[in-house]
Amino acid sequence: MRYPDFLAYELLNKYDETGEEKYLLKAESIIEDQEPDLRSIPMIRYRFGAFENLHESLSLLVSKGLVYRDGNKSDETIKAYYYYITPLSVQLVEDVTAEFPSLAWYDERAKLVKEIAGSLGGSALKERQYKHMSYATTQLGTQIPSIKNEVINRLKALNRAK
């Protein structure tokens, strides 16, 4: 969701794979609605891919009862944290979306991302990202660049081929 142009690119890959027009149309709408310009939230490339320290954001959600954190302990050392949404967060999202319908965009995008990602886990999705040269060649510590122009060119080529 943070890089709508990368989502559009993956939608075009899904279109190439399946031939389902809905993926092409959704990629076109992302570009036509200028989502890469209006909705991108840049991330920094770190050692193992895109990175952002989530502790502050998640701690706020935990403190408000919107997220529950569970630690995976081994020998009294926490190896990993797992975060779960609470019924309160589900209700909040429903209430806020009813009051501000434009926020439904986030729910729609989350569902679309889930559909494209399928059952792939974080490592497999990271491998998929690294297959894209502009992502793979981004210098460590710098912003991952937009691929909007590449998506536009793919859309033009697909439309010419029709």
Side-chain angles (χ1 to χ4, degrees):
M1 288 195 311
R2 294 183 66 153
Y3 278 87
D5 46 353
F6 275 90
L7 176 57
Y9 185 87
E10 289 298 328
L11 286 163
L12 292 176
N13 289 346
K14 191 76 166 176
Y15 171 72
D16 288 342
E17 176 188 318
T18 66
E20 291 185 50
E21 192 84 6
K22 69 178 185 175
Y23 297 116
L24 175 62
L25 294 174
K26 187 52 75 175
E28 286 176 333
S29 75
I30 287 172
I31 297 301
E32 288 170 4
D33 293 345
Q34 300 178 10
E35 289 183 29
D37 297 320
L38 300 175
R39 295 193 182 261
S40 289
I41 303 172
M43 294 188 76
I44 301 297
R45 172 146 182 257
Y46 198 56
R47 292 188 302 198
F48 306 110
F51 174 79
E52 180 178 29
N53 189 341
L54 296 175
H55 296 296
E56 288 181 29
S57 302
L58 288 170
S59 66
L60 177 64
L61 296 173
V62 168
S63 74
K64 300 297 182 186
L66 299 171
V67 171
Y68 170 76
R69 180 180 73 186
D70 185 24
N72 179 4
K73 292 183 182 179
S74 172
D75 300 328
E76 296 305 313
T77 302
I78 295 178
K79 300 292 183 187
Y81 283 114
Y82 297 94
Y83 293 89
Y84 304 94
I85 61 171
T86 65
L88 179 61
S89 66
V90 173
Q91 188 61 54
L92 177 66
V93 168
E94 289 173 2
D95 293 347
V96 169
T97 304
E99 189 173 347
F100 302 98
S102 64
L103 294 177
W105 178 89
Y106 292 97
D107 187 46
E108 293 163 10
R109 280 297 172 270
K111 289 175 181 170
L112 185 58
V113 167
K114 184 176 187 247
E115 180 180 347
I116 295 299
S119 62
L120 295 177
S123 295
L125 290 170
K126 182 176 72 172
E127 281 181 34
R128 197 156 142 186
Q129 286 178 310
Y130 273 100
K131 289 180 181 176
H132 200 285
M133 284 308 293
S134 69
Y135 187 95
T137 59
T138 299
Q139 296 277 330
L140 293 180
T142 63
Q143 258 185 26
I144 298 164
S146 170
I147 58 167
K148 178 181 86 171
N149 291 332
E150 184 177 341
V151 173
I152 290 170
N153 290 335
R154 277 186 77 185
L155 284 168
K156 285 179 184 176
L158 285 167
N159 286 324
R160 279 194 304 268
K162 281 186 173 183

